[in-house]
Amino acid sequence: MTENDQGNVPSRQRKRFPGISSRAYEHPADRSALVALRKLSGFDTVFKALSGLLPERSLRLLFLSDSVRVSDAQFAHLNDMLRDACYILDLEKVPPMYVTQDPKPNAMCIGLDEPIIVVTTGLVELLDEEEMRAVVGHEVGHALSGHSVYRTVLLFLTGLALKIAWIPLGNVAIMAIVTALREWFRKSELSADRAGLLVGQDVQASMRGLMKIAGGNHLHEMNVDAFLAQADEYEKAGDLRDSVLKILNVLPRTHPFTTVRAAELKKWSESRDFQRIMDGHYPKRSEDKDTSVTDSFRESAGHYADTVRTSKDPLMKLVGDIAGGAGDLAGDLGGKLRNAFGGAQGSKKSDAAGTDAAAGDGESGPESATGDAR
């Protein structure tokens, strides 16, 4: 950030993080992917070469011509938040921000050469100042991590897949890439939520913002604890059929579900990692070039292993059981799968099929399974 920009930063009682690396707040899966990509020789050059193929220039002209650019003269309060967020995260160049007319609450950070931030009128009208500050910090976190490059590619590939969908098998390869990018991007959203908390430094404001995105401007009708309880219920609900449905529901999305984001952010806000950052102990940008890809992948693998071990999701619990009891897998796996998919009652009916079938007791099994899977 230039000296002139810093001189215009409003006075805030918030901690600043000079030279902070995005690795400080990135989700392990997001961090390992980014570290690997940054280590690839010529990667940035290749992506910038794609700028002639991607509609980035068109997008920039579109927002410039048909949206409102944030400045001291327009949406000045958002401009103050933007400069403040860049000052706190020590982002040297303040990215342009636009407000675009759209009743749906949304925000994004896109661009190959330089990131631009776009927020919708629906979001501006929905959130109060501190909630909006967390969102602006979220988007600045995307910019600091370099997420805008991959988001732009994702937008392009998604549009391309729709255009060639009529070609037999023409979009299979592209959709495979899109699916992988979406999975990574969902993790990057968790990273950016953490950046938003570092900027706003108000976990309750972050929680309120996520609640409003889920349920609208009716805070008097909502409760943070109850909202977080939904995330816990969602994680442990049902059997393996529900686990499969969760996967299918999330595949087309670029963002995790809102209750899941809230729970993840609350957990991180109470972690030792967050407290160390707030105490001034965090990875520095100057050290990024020395980061080990192997260590990043090891940390990511450890995170996923811990997630499986502690998860309440039926599928994850089954994976953990299988991983922890490979010795008796042959004798036990069939029973676990039968119980997980059919439930204990369905298992008993299957074991007693010789007697129950004659009495007609087994007829409700398929109907029950179909009803639960909707």
Side-chain angles (χ1 to χ4, degrees):
M1 184 179 293
T2 66
E3 183 177 349
N4 183 55
D5 284 336
Q6 290 188 17
N8 291 329
V9 172
S11 176
R12 304 292 184 196
Q13 294 300 317
R14 293 180 177 84
K15 294 184 179 180
R16 183 172 178 254
F17 309 104
I20 189 171
S21 168
S22 59
R23 292 181 291 114
Y25 59 79
E26 284 164 353
H27 184 279
D30 176 28
R31 186 189 310 130
S32 62
L34 290 174
V35 167
L37 289 172
R38 290 164 186 156
K39 289 287 184 178
L40 290 178
S41 178
F43 177 78
D44 291 339
T45 303
V46 171
F47 263 89
K48 287 182 179 180
L50 287 173
S51 61
L53 301 175
L54 301 180
E56 180 186 13
R57 296 178 68 87
S58 175
L59 286 173
R60 290 179 182 276
L61 289 172
L62 177 63
F63 289 122
L64 185 63
S65 64
D66 205 33
S67 301
V68 176
R69 183 162 59 190
V70 171
S71 66
D72 287 330
Q74 301 186 118
F75 289 100
H77 71 293
L78 293 181
N79 197 42
D80 288 343
M81 290 183 196
L82 177 62
R83 289 201 307 267
D84 197 24
C86 292
Y87 180 72
I88 289 173
L89 293 181
D90 199 16
L91 185 64
E92 293 184 0
K93 187 171 183 180
V94 179
M97 176 188 281
Y98 293 90
V99 176
T100 188
Q101 172 61 33
D102 187 341
K104 184 176 181 179
N106 198 10
M108 62 180 173
C109 181
I110 58 174
L112 291 177
D113 294 321
E114 294 181 358
I116 61 173
I117 295 172
V118 181
V119 296
T120 65
T121 52
L123 190 67
V124 174
E125 293 163 4
L126 178 65
L127 304 182
D128 67 24
E129 180 178 348
E130 293 307 309
E131 296 156 6
M132 194 68 199
R133 188 182 302 280
V135 169
V136 173
H138 174 112
E139 299 305 326
V140 170
H142 276 314
L144 182 58
S145 287
H147 292 155
S148 61
V149 173
Y150 316 112
R151 177 60 185 267
T152 305
V153 173
L154 177 58
L155 287 172
F156 170 73
L157 290 177
T158 303
L160 180 62
L162 292 175
K163 290 178 181 177
I164 67 172
W166 60 274
I167 302 176
L169 301 179
N171 69 335
V172 173
I174 290 179
M175 285 310 300
I177 298 173
V178 168
T179 299
L181 277 173
R182 282 175 178 160
E183 169 59 21
W184 161 78
F185 202 81
R186 287 190 289 270
K187 297 300 186 292
S188 77
E189 286 299 313
L190 300 179
S191 299
D193 283 344
R194 296 174 179 184
L197 179 58
L198 290 177
V199 168
Q201 298 175 25
D202 183 348
V203 68
Q204 292 302 316
S206 294
M207 293 293 108
R208 292 198 310 269
L210 289 169
M211 286 171 58
K212 283 185 175 180
I213 291 172
N217 194 13
H218 303 283
L219 278 179
H220 62 288
E221 297 285 354
M222 294 184 278
N223 177 276
V224 172
D225 292 335
F227 189 67
L228 292 172
Q230 288 181 227
D232 186 62
E233 181 180 349
Y234 170 78
E235 182 183 9
K236 65 184 180 183
D239 52 29
L240 284 186
R241 291 167 296 181
D242 297 286
S243 297
V244 173
L245 289 175
K246 292 177 192 176
I247 295 172
L248 294 176
N249 284 340
V250 81
L251 278 179
R253 296 173 60 93
T254 56
H255 289 58
F257 292 116
T258 319
T259 57
V260 174
R261 290 173 63 184
E264 286 279 344
L265 186 60
K266 184 70 161 54
K267 180 180 178 181
W268 189 71
S269 72
E270 297 168 349
S271 70
R272 184 170 177 269
D273 289 342
F274 175 73
Q275 191 56 55
R276 282 180 57 80
I277 295 173
M278 295 304 296
D279 290 340
H281 305 293
Y282 50 80
K284 299 295 180 66
R285 222 169 295 162
S286 58
E287 304 164 353
D288 284 350
K289 63 181 181 301
D290 301 320
T291 306
S292 167
V293 176
T294 302
D295 289 345
S296 297
F297 276 110
R298 186 180 296 116
E299 183 180 355
S300 178
H303 168 80
Y304 277 115
D306 185 63
T307 299
V308 170
R309 181 177 58 80
T310 60
S311 177
K312 301 172 186 176
D313 180 81
L315 179 58
M316 291 297 100
K317 289 175 69 175
L318 179 61
V319 170
D321 289 345
I322 292 173
D328 59 354
L329 179 60
D332 192 44
L333 179 56
K336 286 183 178 180
L337 288 171
R338 185 169 59 250
N339 289 337
F341 276 106
Q345 184 177 2
S347 178
K348 291 176 183 178
K349 288 179 180 179
S350 176
D351 293 339
T355 56
D356 289 348
D361 290 342
E363 293 178 0
S364 62
E367 294 175 1
S368 175
T370 303
D372 289 345
R374 281 188 303 207

